[in-house]
Amino acid sequence: EADIYQTPRYLVIGTGKKITLECSQTMGHDKMYWYQQDPGMELHLIHYSYGVNSTEKGDLSSESTVSRIRTEHFPLTLESARPSHTSQYLCASVGGYNSPLHFGNGTRLTVT
Amino acid sequence: QKEVEQDPGPLSVPEGAIVSLNCTYSNSAFQYFMWYRQYSRKGPELLMYTYSSGNKEDGRFTAQVDKSSKYISLFIRDSQPSDSATYLCAMRGNNAGNMLTFGGGTRLMVKP
């Protein structure tokens, strides 16, 4: 079973701050994803990566950026946080082509 | 119109009831269908994973896919208070890698 760790679990910050949400997985999965989830709403893909040095934007426009320097690590950065960024951010990874996604427990971000 | 529609609930049932959760979709290319369970303040965890039409049973859970009607269901028998969670359907096509399209989730409450 995949182990995916997200830190911090909860974050409250002021507008204009730069933040990085951490995501690490221990299963050696090549594919990793970031989703945004608002209460009662479906998950929206904001970034994904198919391996080291590979990153792509997802369906939902996002002002965040990601990097993939190591297989196990896929951090998401907001250069200047705004209240509209308040949401839950979920990281996921997958091993094989037909394998399902495994999710971390998310980071709940509040920007005041 | 959303590609995947799911009644947000909440759905409240007494302990021991049979629960039926449903999703409809519009994209006939979807071939893989999943149900995720998400407890409060946790990430989604995979519950059922099916390919194409038919039924799949796992303990108290049964997933059903009717591709002709573009309709999928998750049945929970002998529901327990521990089943109280949000249930998300997700699906993808054959060539979509692991890119999933999610429903908005149905919140289920099982009362003792």
Side-chain angles (χ1 to χ4, degrees):
Chain A
E1 184 167 327
D3 291 320
I4 303 177
Y5 305 99
Q6 289 188 245
T7 57
R9 288 295 313 279
Y10 305 94
L11 181 62
V12 181
I13 60 168
T15 297
K17 298 291 186 183
K18 176 180 178 179
I19 57 166
T20 295
L21 309 184
E22 301 288 346
C23 176
S24 295
Q25 49 94 5
T26 60
M27 302 305 291
H29 289 169
D30 286 326
K31 296 177 183 174
M32 296 188 73
Y33 306 79
W34 276 103
Y35 286 87
Q36 187 172 337
Q37 184 184 32
D38 293 316
M41 303 294 288
E42 61 266 34
L43 278 70
H44 290 287
L45 181 66
I46 50 175
H47 295 284
Y48 62 98
S49 167
Y50 284 169
V52 172
N53 294 325
S54 153
T55 61
E56 301 287 344
K57 288 186 179 291
D59 301 328
L60 184 67
S61 175
S62 173
E63 294 160 341
S64 57
T65 59
V66 292
S67 63
R68 191 84 182 278
I69 298 172
R70 304 197 315 267
T71 298
E72 62 271 21
H73 194 215
F74 190 39
L76 181 146
T77 298
L78 279 166
E79 291 292 333
S80 179
R82 293 208 296 269
S84 59
H85 295 138
T86 294
S87 187
Q88 171 154 265
Y89 293 84
L90 290 163
C91 181
S93 75
V94 64
Y97 181 82
N98 285 331
S99 299
L101 290 179
H102 293 274
F103 285 88
N105 280 326
T107 294
R108 189 172 295 275
L109 172 66
T110 302
V111 183
T112 60
Chain B
Q1 185 184 2
K2 296 179 182 179
E3 271 195 297
V4 179
E5 297 278 0
Q6 188 175 5
D7 188 329
L11 178 63
S12 182
V13 301
E15 183 176 353
I18 296 174
V19 175
S20 172
L21 304 168
N22 311 295
C23 287
T24 58
Y25 62 95
S26 57
N27 189 343
S28 57
F30 288 145
Q31 295 280 355
Y32 295 86
F33 303 91
M34 285 136 272
W35 285 95
Y36 283 85
R37 178 176 61 196
Q38 186 174 21
Y39 291 115
S40 179
R41 306 190 187 286
K42 296 283 190 180
E45 57 177 329
L46 182 70
L47 206 54
M48 299 289 279
Y49 185 28
T50 56
Y51 171 72
S52 196
S53 286
N55 293 356
K56 183 176 181 179
E57 188 174 321
D58 184 359
R60 295 184 296 110
F61 300 90
T62 299
Q64 199 171 74
V65 175
D66 182 350
K67 289 188 66 184
S68 62
S69 302
K70 296 190 182 67
Y71 188 86
I72 69 170
S73 301
L74 176 71
F75 298 97
I76 307 174
R77 291 184 298 281
D78 187 24
S79 56
Q80 302 295 309
S82 59
D83 295 328
S84 298
T86 296
Y87 289 80
L88 300 154
C89 64
M91 50 198 77
R92 67 171 179 86
N94 259 334
N95 297 319
N98 299 99
M99 297 297 186
L100 297 179
T101 301
F102 284 87
T106 298
R107 186 176 162 216
L108 172 67
M109 295 184 293
V110 181
K111 298 188 175 180

